[in-house]
Amino acid sequence: QERNKDRVNAVARARRAALRAEVMAHYGSVCACCGEGQIQFLVIDHIEGGGSEHRRTDHRASRIYSWLRRHRYPDGFRVLCHNCNNAKSLYGFCHT
């Protein structure tokens, strides 16, 4: 049973990674501020802010990658690296 659990977890991880890569590819695969392209450092950003409100009003939005695909990749989102996303959140802009 433990082997099956490991296999199920591995399949789930692979599906999440593939979905994340698909979403990143759709929105450009590089940080819109600094150009960082390593997927490990990238996140999806709500361009006009409002991510917290979005997650509060639509509980499925907490799984942003599946939410974006389910809603056919709407406008209003972009790729940022964690640093630029943090700077935008804290200071209102990223370094570029």
Side-chain angles (χ1 to χ4, degrees), residues 47-79:
I47 292 174
E48 298 295 324
S52 295
E53 181 64 24
H54 185 207
R55 288 184 296 277
R56 254 194 310 279
T57 59
D58 184 346
H59 70 280
R60 290 173 296 184
S62 65
R63 292 190 168 109
I64 192 68
Y65 304 114
S66 58
W67 187 93
L68 288 167
R69 182 167 64 184
R70 189 169 42 262
H71 289 87
R72 298 189 179 117
Y73 303 106
D75 293 337
F77 298 89
R78 64 180 172 182
V79 175

Side-chain angles (χ1 to χ4, degrees), residues 3-4 25 32 40-41 53 64 67 81:
R3 260 184 46 203
N4 189 44
Q40 304 93 315
F41 303 137
E53 181 64 24
I64 192 68
W67 187 93
C81 70

Side-chain angles (χ1 to χ4, degrees), residues 1-51:
Q1 187 171 3
E2 188 64 31
R3 260 184 46 203
N4 189 44
K5 181 181 174 184
D6 291 343
R7 188 179 67 74
V8 168
N9 287 340
V11 168
R13 274 192 304 278
R15 282 186 182 154
R16 283 190 305 270
L19 174 60
R20 186 168 188 268
E22 177 186 321
V23 171
M24 292 296 176
H26 178 83
Y27 286 103
S29 295
V30 297
C31 177
C33 287
C34 73
E36 174 62 59
Q38 289 193 25
I39 195 166
Q40 304 93 315
F41 303 137
L42 302 177
V43 295
I44 294 294
D45 173 58
H46 290 74
I47 292 174
E48 298 295 324

